[in-house]
Each structure stands twice: as structure tokens, then as C-alpha cells.
Amino acid sequence: MKKIRHYVLMPNSKEAMTLYQKMQEAQIKSTVAPTPREADHCCGVCILYDEASKKDKILEIAKKNDLEIDCFWDMENKDDPNRNKFC
């Protein structure tokens, strides 16, 4: 089964950090991450969140706090499981 990563792409890092804080307050598991190159987006940071089902809640939080979301973007996890494996 392929693991999908879910991203919120933001217009700038200030709005990304504000949305991240509000998502933490709402107990939505997330982290600030570099924007994947494949996303072809100008802002260098985005928010990576675990559950696709939280998209509507994230939209609600953004709207309530007058934060602009450029888009939601999903991508298959391409992390190498053998990276940093030493034995």
C-alpha cells in the first residue's frame, strides 16, 4: 500500500507558520516542511499533515483566521527506507 503525503501550500512563510500554530491548537497532527520540488511552488515552506480527512477542518481554520491557502497537494511518499541505515 502506497503512503500518500498531504501538503498545504501557502503564499508565504508567515501565513504558513500562523496556520501551523492554529492547526496545533486544533490538535491536527502536522509539521512545517520544505515545499517538495515537484509541487513547483514559489514559497519554500509548506505544512505537511497526516490525515486527508482533516482538509475541511484546515480550510475552516484558515477562513476563520483570514489566512490564504494557495492549494492542497498530495504526493506519494518517495522516502528511501534504507537512507541513514548503517547496518
Side-chain angles (χ1 to χ4, degrees):
M1 183 169 151
K2 295 180 182 180
K3 176 137 171 80
I4 303 296
R5 289 192 161 178
H6 309 286
Y7 296 88
V8 182
L9 304 181
M10 304 293 292
N12 59 59
S13 58
K14 182 179 182 214
E15 291 211 12
M17 292 305 296
T18 303
L19 180 60
Y20 170 72
Q21 287 179 312
K22 299 298 181 183
M23 288 170 66
Q24 293 297 298
E25 290 169 10
Q27 299 182 338
I28 296 174
K29 190 174 178 183
S30 59
T31 189
V32 175
T35 301
R37 291 175 195 236
E38 296 90 346
D40 193 33
H41 192 262
C42 63
C43 183
V45 298
C46 65
I47 301 169
L48 175 64
Y49 64 103
D50 283 351
E51 297 176 45
S53 63
K54 299 292 184 183
K55 183 177 177 179
D56 289 337
K57 181 67 175 169
I58 295 167
L59 282 169
E60 180 183 316
I61 292 168
K63 185 176 181 178
K64 179 179 177 184
N65 292 281
D66 199 29
L67 299 169
E68 182 180 340
I69 291 177
D70 284 345
C71 67
F72 287 86
W73 192 73
D74 296 333
M75 176 180 124
E76 181 182 334
N77 183 356
K78 296 181 181 178
D79 289 348
D80 180 358
N82 293 316
R83 183 174 182 207
N84 298 328
K85 190 174 183 181
F86 299 106
C87 51

